[in-house]
Amino acid sequence: TGWAQAQTTPEALDWLRKIYGATEKLSYTGTFVYQQGDRTETSRITRLADAAGGTEKLEVLDGAPREILRTRDEIRCYLPESRTVKVDRRSDPRAFPALLPEQVAGLTEYYVVTLGEMRRIAGFTCQAIVLTPKDDLRYGYRLWADAGSGMLLKAQTFDRDGQTMEQFTFTHLEIGNVPRERLRPPRAAQGWHVERAGVAPADLSLSGWSVSAELPGFRKIVEIRRMLRDAQPVAQMVYSDGLAAVSVFIEPMPGRAEAARIGISSLGAVNVYTREVANHLVTVVGEAP
């Protein structure tokens, strides 16, 4: 029951490669709005590209203040209201779209990739690229990239009825020439409480866990253990098809503070399914139907 009628074009695949190249090579600063259902959030992003994989600063401008600093290896989240810095190791260094150039051609097994219309966004003339799934295991994507640089200015996730589940759009963007001091952490953060997420690579098969049927097109990209809540170790496996990512969390039931919510729930394009397996709570979270 595929949705897609058209055929993938080589030009559309070239555009995906161009978008990926831009996310790696460009320095920029801009403001974007993220929308999910009736919830919106405005953020300012500053990225400095360099040989080490770049540094990125995200400042959330709505609601409780928070700043997120990302390098290739680490994510630091600064929360001024609680004077806390949360430090996490980056288990998956790729930003959206999480494509590696050599994976672009592989997407055509599960998506039809075509060019859409040209449109002006935040003052840039943009080319639309549409990824329509061939099955019901993933959502579709509409991406708008600057015709000159390939920079992604807008992205929408849509369901099989063509309804937008979530989107982000730049309202202002400047490409190039980002001074390094713009990427400094908040000045006040000296002496804040630091919480480190204990993340370590793991082989879950050693403790008897395996996934019996993997989803077509989704590959396991990371397998870790992380310490959450009062040092309860939680195992995590992340699967991706190059665009969508799905995480499987495995948490021991004994010692859990609150009762588990079994079943399915969703928020925008993110679906959550929880069930009990062998005295553990298994939760699957992902931007997938």
Side-chain angles (χ1 to χ4, degrees):
T1 60
W3 315 359
Q5 306 302 323
Q7 296 290 311
T8 292
T9 65
E11 297 81 16
L13 292 180
D14 285 343
W15 269 99
L16 286 182
R17 292 186 185 95
K18 198 171 173 180
I19 290 172
Y20 177 79
T23 59
E24 290 287 284
K25 297 184 186 83
L26 293 180
S27 296
Y28 54 85
T29 182
T31 303
F32 67 87
V33 178
Y34 173 74
Q35 271 174 295
Q36 189 182 57
D38 52 9
R39 192 174 77 86
T40 64
E41 188 174 80
T42 307
S43 301
R44 181 165 47 234
I45 187 167
T46 307
R47 177 178 162 81
L48 182 62
D50 59 31
T55 307
E56 201 172 273
K57 183 181 192 177
L58 187 74
E59 298 164 80
V60 180
L61 303 179
D62 299 336
R66 62 186 191 276
E67 290 185 22
I68 297 157
L69 266 178
R70 288 193 195 106
T71 60
R72 193 175 64 182
D73 306 316
E74 193 178 71
I75 301 174
R76 288 178 166 259
C77 183
Y78 294 86
L79 304 166
E81 288 183 352
S82 59
R83 297 174 58 82
T84 301
V85 187
K86 293 183 180 240
V87 183
D88 204 344
R89 229 184 70 192
R90 273 191 97 156
S91 48
D92 178 20
R94 299 169 302 166
F96 178 84
L99 282 170
L100 299 172
E102 63 271 17
Q103 285 182 332
V104 166
L107 285 175
T108 59
E109 200 175 337
Y110 300 99
Y111 297 89
V112 171
V113 188
T114 53
L115 290 182
E117 80 291 351
M118 302 289 283
R119 183 192 286 187
R120 269 189 92 228
I121 298 169
F124 292 82
T125 301
C126 294
Q127 170 68 59
I129 303 97
V130 184
L131 293 101
T132 310
K134 296 181 179 182
D135 59 29
D136 286 331
L137 297 176
R138 50 208 105 223
Y139 292 124
Y141 298 91
R142 283 184 282 264
L143 310 176
W144 284 268
D146 169 32
S149 65
M151 175 75 189
L152 188 67
L153 270 99
K154 179 172 182 169
Q156 286 180 341
T157 306
F158 62 90
D159 65 14
R160 67 169 306 149
D161 300 322
Q163 296 295 312
T164 300
M165 315 275 293
E166 65 177 20
Q167 69 172 15
F168 86 83
T169 316
F170 274 99
T171 55
H172 170 77
L173 178 69
E174 291 173 43
I175 296 174
N177 191 23
V178 173
R180 188 166 280 280
E181 54 266 22
R182 280 208 200 157
L183 291 148
R184 287 200 181 126
R187 276 193 202 90
Q190 303 288 323
W192 286 10
H193 172 64
V194 177
E195 285 179 14
R196 291 186 184 276
V199 177
D203 179 353
L204 302 183
S205 65
L206 296 178
S207 47
W209 291 99
S210 65
V211 174
S212 54
E214 298 192 357
L215 289 172
F218 283 85
R219 297 181 308 126
K220 190 195 299 176
I221 54 171
V222 79
E223 195 167 351
I224 55 175
R225 278 188 200 282
R226 48 173 69 243
M227 302 303 269
L228 296 175
R229 299 197 195 91
D230 312 325
Q232 269 288 59
V234 176
Q236 181 185 5
M237 294 182 259
V238 183
Y239 291 82
S240 176
D241 69 352
L243 280 176
V246 176
S247 281
V248 182
F249 294 95
I250 303 168
E251 182 184 0
M253 294 279 281
R256 266 185 65 89
E258 66 269 29
R261 290 178 54 185
I262 305 295
I264 192 159
S265 60
S266 58
L267 179 64
V270 178
N271 288 295
V272 182
Y273 177 65
T274 303
R275 68 190 182 106
E276 216 179 302
V277 182
N279 209 20
H280 283 68
L281 208 59
V282 176
T283 305
V284 181
V285 181
E287 290 208 351

